[in-house]
């Protein structure tokens, strides 16, 4: 199970719970219009968005820091392909080394994982980014990519659940002030239809612990 991620990119909605209204607009009943996207939320799990290499590797002294790198600038495109939803994210890796002398190539592994309902791993792929430091340059950058292919039906709420969420309630109704998400059946259905594309460095246990405790 991954740590709670921070959403970075909002995808274009594939279907709306309240048509012809923008998010945040008041509807005719005084409620607020919202749009639910079938695209996966994209984020970086806590403590996996950066990596620090030491020289020697066993040291954790600040003076032994060799290279630091960060995942940043995630950009996502999401759309339909037949019965699937395809979401592709590109991102930059920006790195800095302590010793700028000599040309150097560094390969860093990263993962792209699709998670359903916040804790069920659907798929995981590990890729690599190659950083090339020029002689005399302390900084280098590279680009990576992660993708998710999700069955559209799996990311779509059942009609009866959707109807319960968007049903207009009038003042005086017995359930007028009750949030549909308080119903465990609705909450579980929404979780099952919710996906995330999580991207981060493929860290060792020691590297993950260092990020979490520094």
């Amino acid at each position: 199970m991954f740590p709670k991620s921070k959403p970075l990119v909002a995808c274009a909605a594939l279907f709306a719970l309240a048509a012809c209204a923008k998010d945040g607009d008041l509807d005719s009943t005084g409620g607020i219009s919202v749009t639910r996207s079938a695209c996966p939320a994209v984020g970086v799990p806590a403590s996996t968005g950066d990596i620090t290499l030491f020289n020697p590797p066993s040291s954790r002294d600040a003076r032994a820091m060799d290279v630091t790198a960060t995942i940043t600038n995630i950009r996502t495109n999401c759309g339909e392909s037949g019965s699937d939803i395809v979401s592709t994210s590109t991102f930059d890796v920006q790195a800095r080394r302590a010793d700028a002398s000599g040309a150097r190539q560094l390969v860093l592994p990263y993962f792209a994982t699709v998670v359903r309902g916040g804790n069920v791993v659907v798929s995981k792929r590990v890729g690599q980014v190659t950083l090339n430091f020029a002689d005399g340059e302390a900084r280098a950058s590279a680009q990576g990519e992660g993708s998710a292919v999700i069955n559209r039906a799996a990311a779509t709420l059942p009609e009866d659940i959707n109807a319960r969420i968007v049903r207009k309630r009038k003042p005086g109704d017995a359930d007028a002030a009750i949030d549909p998400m308080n119903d465990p059946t609705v909450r579980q259905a929404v979780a099952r239809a919710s996906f995330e594309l999580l991207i981060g460095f493929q860290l060792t246990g020691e590297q993950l612990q260092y990020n979490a405790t520094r």
Side-chain angles (χ1 to χ4, degrees), residues 13-95:
L14 293 183
F15 63 92
L17 297 185
C20 304
K22 301 190 299 296
D23 284 357
D25 284 354
L26 292 176
D27 64 20
S28 58
T29 68
I32 298 177
S33 298
V34 294
T35 301
R36 181 183 184 275
S37 175
C39 291
V42 180
V44 178
S47 301
T48 68
D50 54 84
I51 185 172
T52 303
L53 304 180
F54 292 86
N55 185 20
S58 59
S59 175
R60 290 299 178 266
D61 192 296
R63 293 171 296 180
M65 284 186 179
D66 181 24
V67 178
T68 57
T70 303
I71 290 175
T72 186
N73 195 26
I74 294 182
R75 306 165 297 276
T76 300
N77 289 316
C78 183
E80 296 186 53
S81 177
S83 61
D84 292 327
I85 296 165
V86 180
S87 179
T88 301
S89 294
T90 58
F91 58 91
D92 296 332
V93 173
Q94 297 181 352

Side-chain angles (χ1 to χ4, degrees), residues 2 112 136 151 160 162 172 182-183 190 198 203-204 208:
F2 288 95
N151 182 270
D160 61 322
N162 186 56
N182 287 334
D183 185 330
V190 171
L198 304 180
L203 303 174
T204 65
L208 187 61

Side-chain angles (χ1 to χ4, degrees), residues 49-181:
D50 54 84
I51 185 172
T52 303
L53 304 180
F54 292 86
N55 185 20
S58 59
S59 175
R60 290 299 178 266
D61 192 296
R63 293 171 296 180
M65 284 186 179
D66 181 24
V67 178
T68 57
T70 303
I71 290 175
T72 186
N73 195 26
I74 294 182
R75 306 165 297 276
T76 300
N77 289 316
C78 183
E80 296 186 53
S81 177
S83 61
D84 292 327
I85 296 165
V86 180
S87 179
T88 301
S89 294
T90 58
F91 58 91
D92 296 332
V93 173
Q94 297 181 352
R96 182 181 179 89
R97 60 176 176 166
D99 183 357
S101 61
R104 180 181 179 184
Q105 185 176 87
L106 180 65
V107 178
L108 296 176
Y110 69 89
F111 65 83
T113 299
V114 179
V115 177
R116 184 178 191 178
N119 59 7
V120 178
V121 175
V122 176
S123 66
K124 178 179 180 180
R125 295 182 180 179
V126 176
Q128 296 179 329
V129 291
T130 301
L131 295 157
N132 290 295
F133 293 93
D135 183 22
E137 294 292 333
R139 296 180 182 274
S141 62
Q143 190 176 93
E145 180 179 293
S147 62
V149 179
I150 300 166
N151 182 270
R152 181 159 46 89
T156 303
L157 286 174
E159 291 185 7
D160 61 322
I161 297 295
N162 186 56
R164 292 172 64 178
I165 293 174
V166 302
R167 183 176 67 82
K168 294 185 182 297
R169 295 164 176 81
K170 298 178 181 179
D173 286 352
D175 61 350
I178 298 177
D179 184 348
M181 290 298 292

